Amino acid sequence: MLLWIAFSLMTGAAIMAVLWPLRTGAALPAASTAEADLAVYRDQLTEIERDRASGLIAPAEGEAARTEVARRILRASAERSREGASSGDDRRRRLVAVVALLGVPLMAGGLYLALGSPLYPPQPLAQRLEAQPNPSDVAILIRKVESHLEANPNDGRGYEVVAPIYARIGRLDDAARAWANAIRLLGPTAPRETGLGEALTAQAGGVVTTQAKTAFEAALTADPKDPKAQYFLGLAAEQDGRKAEAAARWSALVAQSPADAPWLGLLREALARIGAPMPATLTAPAAGPGAADVAAAESLTPEQRDAMVRGMVERLEARLTQEGDDIEGWLRLMRAWTVLGQQDKARVAAGQARTHFTSDSGALGRIDALAHELGLGS
Amino acid sequence: MNPEIGHYALVLSLAVALLMTVIPFWGARTGDAALMKVGSTLALVLAGFTGLSFATLVVAYVQSDFSVLNVVENSHSAKPLLYRITGTWGNHEGSMLLWVLVLAIFAALVALFGANLPARLKANVLAVQGSVATAFLLFILFTSNPFARVIPPPAEGQDLNPILQDIGLAIHPPLLYLGYVGFSITFAFAVAALIEGRIDAAWARWVRPWALTAWAFLTLGIAMGSYWAYYELGWGGWWFWDPVENASLMPWFAGTALIHSAVVMEKRDALKVWTVLLAILAFSLSLLGTFLVRSGVLTSVHTFATDPSRGVFILAILVFFIGGSLTLYALRAPMLRQGGIFAPVSREGALVLNNLLLTAASAAVLVGTLYPLALEAYNGAKITVGPPYFNLTVGALMLPVAFAMPFGPLLAWKRGDLAGAAQRLMAAFGAAIVIAALAAYAQGGGPVLAPFGMGLAAFVVIGALAEVIERAGFGRVPRATAFARLRGLPRSVFGGALAHAGVGVCLFGIIAETSWNAERIAGVKVGGSFEVGGYELTLDRLEPRNGPNYRDLVGVFTVRRGGVDMGTIESAKRLFTARNMPTTESGIRTMWFSQLYVSLGDELPGGGVGVRAYWKPFVTLIWIGSVIMALGGALSLTDRRLRVGAPKPAKKPKAKADGASPVPAE
C-alpha cells in the first residue's frame, strides 16, 4: 500500500512539473533573443575597458575591439526591433496540461506494470538472515546452516541436514562434501553412504565412479538390503560391461522388493536395457499391476499374458487369505476375476470379503455396491 | 528502500524525458514562454527521479538485496562497503544508469543557471538533452534493466569482476562519464543553434565552460584509467592503444579542439560553423565510445560489458543522434553567419592549426580503432592495428602540436608577428637545448631521439610560462608594474598556461619512460636476488594472507641500491574466492617521479615464483602532467568572465556584471 502511495506521489510530482510552470509562466514574457545578445555584448565592452585600464591590452588594440563589439551591438539592436512579441495560446497550454495529466500516469503506470514486480518486497540480506526460519527461502536456510557449520565444523547433524538440500538444488560438490563430513563425524549408515554415492554419481554425469562405488559398497555393509546401493552397484557393473553381474544384482533387488516399491519401474527399464528378464517381486502387486508388469506383458503371447495376469491375481488372492483386512485388495480381486470372466470366483471373493468385515458396515456397503455393479448378484 | 521505487522512478524518468523533448521544443517553435519554461522544471524533476533511481540501486547494493538480479550478478556480501557501493556502476546496467544520471544533472544545471540564456536557446537545449535522455532510458529499460528481480533470491552474489574491485573503479568511470556526458551539453547547444539557424552571442560564452568542464573531467578520467590499468593489470604498461582507451581518446582530441575554437568564437566571433561541428563531433565520439564499450563489439581488457543484443539498440541511438545532427548541420550550417576575418599568422590561425592537427589525430585513432572491426564484419578477417600504427600517426601529429603550442598564445589576435613570438621564445628554446644536451649526456648510448624529445618537452613547459611572463611585461616594464599586471591577468591565462605546461610534463614522462625503462623477468626462489635498473631486489619471503573475499600470496622484496637497504616492496597475486579469479596487485615503489614496479607471476615448480620487475624513470609525470592539464582547465573555468550563468552580486554599480542580466530571474 505504501508503495502505491509513493508511486502516486511521484507521478503527481511529474505532473506538477508541467502544470506549475504553465500557470505561473504564462504571465512571463519570453526573454528576447536579441535582448540576451545585447547583454553579452555590453559585458564584453566592460571587459575591454577593464583590460585596457589595467594595461593588459594596448590602447590601439582595445579601440579595435571596442569598434568590433559596437558593430555587433548595432546588429543586435536592429534584430530586436524586428522581433515580434511572443504569444501565449490557452488552447495549446490546455492540450499540454491534458497530455501531462493523462499521458504521464498512463505511460509510466503501463510500462511499470509490464516491467516491474510491485508485489515483490525488498529482501536485504541482513533482514533475511535475522528473520524467523522461512521454509520457502531455501538459499537462506542453507546459508544459515553453512555459517553454523563454519562456527561448529564438527557438527555432523548439520552436514546431514544440508546435504540432501544441496543435492536437490544441484550443488553437487557441496552435497558430496557434506555427506562425506556427516559420515566422518557420525559414522557410516546406509542412507549417508548412498547419499554420498548418489551425489558423486550425479556430479560425474551419471557415471558411477570408483569413489561412488566405494560409498555404495559401504552402504551395503551397513545395510545389505539397501535398494539404492544395490541399484547403483548394478549400474556400475553395467557401465563396466559386466552385464551378468548387473542383471544378478537387479534381479535380486526386484525379488526382495515389495510389489509397490517405487523403484521397480526404474529396475524394469534397466533390466530391459541389458536384455534380462524381470523377475517376480517379493509379493503380489498390491496396487494393481506395476508399470513393470504391463511392459512385461506387452512382450508376451496372449496365452502367456493371460497366464501372467492370472498369476498376478492368484498372488493377490493368496495374500488376502492371509491378511484379510485389506478392503481395497478384496475389491480389486472381485474386479479382476470378473474381468477374467470368472464370475463365480468373484462371487467367492465377495463372500470371503464379507466374512472379514462383518462389523464394518461401510466396507460391507462397498462390497455390496461393487458386487451389484459387476452383476454378481448378492 | 524498495527497489521497486527505483524501478518506478526510472519508468517515470522516461515519461518525463519524453515530455522534456517535446514540450519545450514546441514552446520554442511557437514562442510560448510557458511551454519553454516547462522544460526547466522537467529537467529538475528528471534529475530528481534518475537520482532517486540510482540511489535506490546503491541501497540495494549496500544492503546486498539479492532479490535484485543486478546485485546478485555483481556483488557479494563479503565485499567491503566501498566496493559494494562502487559495484553499482561497475557493471553494464548500473553504469548506464550513472550515464543517464550525469546527463540529467547536467540538464538540471542548465535549467538552474541558465536564467540569462535566451529562452528559446535554453528550451531547445533542454529539448535536445531530453531526447538523448529518452533514448538512453529506453535502452536501459528495455535491454539493460538494473531493477530486474530474482524469485527466489539466492543467499549470496556472484561477486564483482575482481579487477574492478579497486579504488580505481570508484573514480575512473564517474570521471569519464562526467567527461563524455558533459559534451552532451555542448552538443545540445550546437543542435539548438542549428535548429534556430542562428548562433547567439551567449552561445560561445556557454559552450566554452561546458566544454572545459567536460574536457577536464575526461582528462582526469583517462589519466585515472591509464594509472589503474598500469598498476592492476601487472604488465607495467600505461597505455595499450586498446579500443576502449581509444574510444575515450577520440572525444578528448575533439574536445581539446573544441575548447580552443570556442575561444576564437567567443573572442573574435569567428569559426562559428567549425565550432558547432566540433561540438557535434565531440559528443558523437563520446557516443561512439559508449557504443564500443557497451555493445560488446570489442574484446579487450574491458570485456566486462558484453552483450551483442544490446549492440543493435546502441547502434540505432548512434545513427539517430550522429546522423541526425550531421544532417541538420549540412542543412543549416550555410545559414549561420560567418564573422571575423583574420590573417593566417595570428592567434586564430594558430588555433586553427591546433584544431586541424587535433581532429586529424582524432581521425587517425578512429580509423585505427574501427578499421579492424569493419574488416572483420566485412570478411571475417581478424587483424589488430597495434601500437606501431598509433604511435606513428598520433605521434607524428602531436609533435607539431607540441612544437607550435608555445607560439600560439604569444601571437596577437587577427594579425600576429611570428618572428616576434619566436624572439620571445628564445629563452625557452635555449633552455630546451640545454636540457636536451643534459639528457644526451646522461643517457650515454640510449635512443638517439630521446634527447630531442626531452628538449621538446622542456620547450613546451617553459614556453607555457613564457606567455605569462610576456603578458605581465617582465623585462619591458618596471618590475612593480609587471607584478601588478600579473595579478590582473585573467585566470584563464594562467589556466591555459598551466594546461600547456601539463602537456609538456606529460610529454616528458612519456618520452623518458619509453626511452629508458628497464624490464626484468625472472624466476626467483625465496632468498634469491635479481637486478633491475640499478636496483637489487631480494625475495625475502612468500606468505599467504586472507582478505575479506580474497586470498593473497604476497612476495616481500627487499630493495637495495649499491648495497644500501631501501626498505621493502610487497607484490601480491590475489585470488578472489567467489569467482576463483586471480588478479595481480603490483608492488610499486615511487622514488621521486620514477617507479620501481614488481609484479608476481605464477609459482614455479620446485619453489620460487615468476617475477616481472620494471624500472620506470619519470613515469609518474605522465599522470601528474594530465592532472596539471585538468587543473589548468579548472582554473580557466573559475575565470569570472566565463561564469555567465552563476548568479553573482554585481561588483560595479552599473547594470553589468556577469550574473546580473536584463532577463528577470525565475
Side-chain angles (χ1 to χ4, degrees):
Chain A
M1 194 60 213
L2 265 177
L3 190 66
W4 296 107
I5 294 172
F7 287 177
S8 319
L9 288 177
M10 286 157 73
T11 316
I15 295 171
M16 281 314 291
V18 177
L19 296 190
W20 184 64
L22 278 188
R23 261 182 66 83
T24 60
L28 280 177
S32 149
T33 306
E35 202 73 63
D37 277 3
L38 282 175
V40 174
Y41 295 140
R42 277 194 293 270
D43 286 2
Q44 283 178 339
L45 269 188
T46 333
E47 214 170 271
I48 293 165
E49 273 316 309
R50 196 175 53 218
D51 281 4
R52 196 161 63 169
S54 60
L56 285 174
I57 47 174
E61 232 175 290
E63 196 49 52
R66 266 184 67 91
T67 320
E68 180 157 335
V69 174
R71 249 200 312 267
R72 295 179 199 175
I73 289 181
L74 282 178
R75 207 165 50 212
S77 311
E79 265 175 41
R80 179 170 56 169
S81 53
R82 277 203 308 274
E83 225 171 62
S86 60
S87 62
D89 179 351
D90 275 349
R91 255 198 343 212
R92 194 158 50 220
R93 287 171 191 178
R94 264 203 298 277
L95 178 63
V96 167
V98 168
V99 165
L101 272 169
L102 295 179
V104 171
L106 281 180
M107 184 180 165
L111 202 54
Y112 176 74
L113 287 180
L115 296 173
S117 325
L119 300 178
Y120 193 35
Q123 311 245 352
L125 187 61
Q127 194 185 308
R128 285 164 72 198
L129 287 174
E130 281 162 19
Q132 289 300 308
N134 171 5
S136 69
D137 200 345
V138 176
I140 282 298
L141 290 180
I142 293 179
R143 201 189 152 111
K144 279 185 173 171
V145 177
E146 277 172 350
S147 51
H148 168 76
L149 286 174
E150 224 162 83
N152 311 284
N154 289 322
D155 179 8
R157 279 290 302 153
Y159 292 111
E160 189 161 34
V161 167
V162 79
I165 306 178
Y166 277 145
R168 203 170 69 223
I169 63 170
R171 285 170 64 178
L172 299 167
D173 289 17
D174 293 319
R177 210 171 301 125
W179 280 123
N181 279 327
I183 293 165
R184 179 172 57 83
L185 295 164
L186 301 175
T189 64
R192 287 174 201 150
E193 294 287 0
T194 52
L196 173 61
E198 260 190 299
L200 291 169
T201 307
Q203 205 183 346
V207 176
V208 184
T209 59
T210 323
Q211 248 185 316
K213 209 172 145 191
T214 315
F216 290 125
E217 277 158 0
L220 278 193
T221 318
D223 173 9
K225 291 199 168 242
D226 186 273
K228 260 191 198 169
Q230 284 177 319
Y231 168 75
F232 277 102
L233 286 172
L235 191 62
E238 186 203 353
Q239 285 166 356
D240 290 349
R242 286 173 282 117
K243 290 195 176 175
E245 189 194 329
R249 279 198 185 273
W250 287 334
S251 305
L253 176 55
V254 175
Q256 74 176 45
S257 300
D260 56 352
W263 55 80
L264 284 176
L266 191 66
L267 284 171
R268 186 207 13 91
E269 276 171 27
L271 284 164
R273 194 167 62 226
I274 58 171
M278 178 79 180
T281 50
L282 182 62
T283 52
D293 295 337
V294 174
E298 276 165 9
S299 60
L300 303 171
T301 62
E303 290 82 5
Q304 281 174 319
R305 192 181 301 145
D306 206 27
M308 185 191 130
V309 174
R310 195 172 290 275
M312 277 161 41
V313 179
E314 271 159 3
R315 277 204 299 275
L316 177 61
E317 187 173 43
R319 184 170 68 82
L320 288 173
T321 1
Q322 277 155 25
E323 317 158 13
D325 50 359
D326 177 5
I327 175 69
E328 301 296 338
W330 285 113
L331 296 178
R332 204 158 49 239
L333 187 63
M334 287 162 64
R335 232 182 242 286
W337 284 133
T338 314
V339 170
L340 288 172
Q342 310 262 349
Q343 265 79 8
D344 44 347
K345 286 198 175 188
R347 264 184 221 108
V348 172
Q352 281 178 326
R354 283 196 189 94
T355 62
H356 279 102
F357 296 101
T358 41
S359 55
D360 188 343
S361 61
L364 285 176
R366 289 179 68 188
I367 295 167
D368 288 343
L370 183 65
H372 182 74
E373 182 194 321
L374 296 173
L376 301 175
S378 50
Chain B
M1 196 159 32
N2 194 330
E4 295 303 315
I5 297 268
H7 200 171
Y8 188 69
L10 198 61
V11 171
L12 211 47
S13 297
L14 176 63
V16 169
L18 211 56
L19 291 179
M20 188 172 138
T21 310
V22 179
I23 299 177
F25 180 73
W26 196 26
R29 292 276 90 184
T30 56
D32 191 321
L35 295 198
M36 288 194 263
K37 197 162 174 272
V38 170
S40 296
T41 45
L42 282 177
L44 296 176
V45 168
L46 179 68
F49 283 145
T50 49
L52 177 63
S53 188
F54 189 75
T56 315
L57 191 61
V58 173
V59 169
Y61 266 86
V62 170
Q63 296 185 335
S64 292
D65 186 339
F66 294 123
S67 69
V68 178
L69 181 63
N70 194 245
V71 180
V72 178
E73 284 173 346
N74 301 290
S75 195
H76 192 284
S77 62
K79 237 174 17 170
L81 178 65
L82 175 68
Y83 298 147
R84 262 184 286 155
I85 295 173
T86 60
T88 313
W89 58 83
N91 62 85
H92 172 81
E93 290 82 359
S95 72
M96 289 321 293
L97 188 54
L98 177 67
W99 207 99
V100 172
L101 174 63
V102 174
L103 186 83
I105 290 176
F106 280 160
L109 289 178
V110 171
L112 276 179
F113 297 116
N116 58 350
L117 276 176
R120 236 179 242 204
L121 177 62
K122 187 175 167 188
N124 279 328
V125 165
L126 290 176
V128 176
Q129 283 289 102
S131 68
V132 178
T134 305
F136 276 87
L137 284 167
L138 281 172
F139 174 70
I140 292 177
L141 281 170
F142 289 106
T143 75
S144 324
N145 196 328
F147 292 104
R149 308 289 294 273
V150 208
I151 308 173
E156 194 46 271
Q158 295 158 8
D159 210 353
L160 181 64
N161 186 342
I163 65 164
L164 305 181
Q165 289 190 36
D166 188 277
I167 189 69
L169 176 68
I171 306 169
H172 167 60
L175 284 177
L176 209 56
Y177 281 5
L178 283 168
Y180 278 173
V181 183
F183 286 124
S184 74
I185 296 284
T186 53
F187 172 82
F189 270 90
V191 172
L194 290 173
I195 289 173
E196 284 292 303
R198 73 188 296 277
I199 296 181
D200 304 287
W203 198 91
R205 293 201 133 211
W206 268 79
V207 164
R208 177 133 184 268
W210 281 109
L212 263 177
T213 312
W215 177 86
F217 279 124
L218 192 57
T219 307
L220 286 177
I222 294 173
M224 186 64 229
S226 157
Y227 191 63
W228 179 25
Y230 169 77
Y231 71 72
E232 187 68 28
L233 296 183
W235 290 100
W238 44 269
W239 192 261
F240 297 88
W241 293 111
D242 176 285
V244 176
E245 290 172 323
N246 294 346
S248 61
L249 196 60
M250 289 185 279
W252 188 82
F253 278 134
T256 311
L258 175 64
I259 54 179
H260 288 93
S261 80
V263 178
V264 180
M265 189 166 149
E266 191 182 352
K267 286 272 184 189
R268 293 279 300 124
D269 208 21
L271 296 187
K272 283 180 177 176
V273 180
W274 172 244
T275 306
V276 166
L277 182 61
L278 278 180
I280 290 175
L281 285 183
F283 185 61
S284 298
L285 290 169
S286 297
L287 279 181
L288 185 70
T290 310
F291 167 71
L292 288 178
V293 180
R294 289 290 147 219
S295 65
V297 296
L298 301 171
T299 315
S300 72
V301 290
H302 293 67
T303 41
F304 65 94
T306 41
D307 184 347
S309 68
R310 292 163 176 159
V312 181
F313 204 119
I314 308 191
L315 198 60
I317 295 179
L318 213 61
V319 168
F320 177 76
F321 285 105
I322 301 182
S325 58
L326 288 178
T327 308
L328 196 62
Y329 179 80
L331 293 175
R332 290 301 186 101
M335 289 172 59
L336 300 176
R337 196 182 51 238
Q338 295 281 3
I341 43 161
F342 52 86
V345 177
S346 62
R347 185 87 70 90
E348 296 95 317
L351 288 167
V352 168
L353 178 70
N354 143 311
N355 273 211
L356 289 177
L357 290 170
L358 285 172
T359 38
S362 197
V365 177
L366 183 72
V367 169
T369 309
L370 293 188
Y371 177 67
L373 292 177
L375 195 67
E376 195 186 336
Y378 173 64
N379 63 7
K382 264 199 180 291
I383 61 158
T384 35
V385 173
Y389 164 83
F390 291 107
N391 288 341
L392 192 67
T393 51
V394 178
L397 287 164
M398 284 304 105
L399 283 183
V401 167
F403 185 72
M405 201 182 291
F407 287 92
L410 289 175
L411 292 172
W413 291 106
K414 218 163 177 179
R415 272 174 297 275
D417 176 6
L418 194 58
Q423 211 170 15
R424 277 171 269 173
L425 283 171
M426 282 316 281
F429 204 70
I433 288 174
V434 172
I435 292 204
L438 280 177
Y441 174 75
Q443 78 162 3
V448 180
L449 284 175
F452 290 100
M454 303 309 275
L456 180 62
F459 179 61
V460 172
V461 176
I462 300 166
L465 303 179
E467 186 210 351
V468 178
I469 294 168
E470 172 63 29
R471 287 192 68 167
F474 283 105
R476 280 187 285 117
V477 297
R479 190 168 297 173
T481 322
F483 270 114
R485 277 205 208 170
L486 190 65
R487 270 195 300 279
L489 280 179
R491 258 175 276 175
S492 64
V493 172
F494 289 111
L498 196 61
H500 281 183
V503 175
V505 170
C506 182
L507 193 63
F508 193 95
I510 292 174
I511 289 166
E513 197 277 335
T514 47
S515 308
W516 300 321
N517 88 78
E519 177 179 355
R520 183 69 189 265
I521 300 174
V524 193
K525 292 193 176 179
V526 174
S529 304
F530 61 98
E531 181 272 335
V532 64
Y535 292 86
E536 191 195 356
L537 287 115
T538 310
L539 178 59
D540 285 341
R541 55 185 191 277
L542 277 172
E543 57 185 39
R545 284 181 203 164
N546 282 330
N549 55 343
Y550 56 82
R551 282 195 295 273
D552 271 351
L553 177 70
V554 186
V556 182
F557 297 85
T558 303
V559 186
R560 288 190 191 83
R561 187 181 175 93
V564 183
D565 192 322
M566 302 178 68
T568 58
I569 291 184
E570 292 187 355
S571 178
K573 210 165 168 56
R574 181 166 288 182
L575 183 75
F576 283 81
T577 41
R579 288 202 180 185
N580 215 9
M581 263 179 79
T583 65
T584 55
E585 298 297 311
S586 319
I588 297 176
R589 176 73 173 275
T590 308
M591 296 170 215
W592 291 100
F593 297 119
S594 309
Q595 288 186 331
L596 199 56
Y597 182 111
V598 183
S599 158
L600 230 48
D602 293 323
E603 281 184 89
L604 302 173
V609 68
V611 176
R612 279 192 306 274
Y614 305 86
W615 167 246
K616 301 201 160 278
F618 298 108
V619 70
T620 56
L621 290 184
I622 297 172
W623 304 294
I624 293 175
S626 310
V627 173
I628 294 177
M629 280 186 236
L631 281 178
L635 188 61
S636 186
L637 201 58
T638 63
D639 191 327
R640 57 205 160 117
R641 296 179 307 162
L642 292 169
R643 280 196 301 181
V644 176
K648 182 163 162 278
K651 275 195 187 139
K652 287 162 201 158
K654 269 184 262 175
K656 189 256 127 193
D658 304 298
S661 73
V663 184
E666 289 178 42

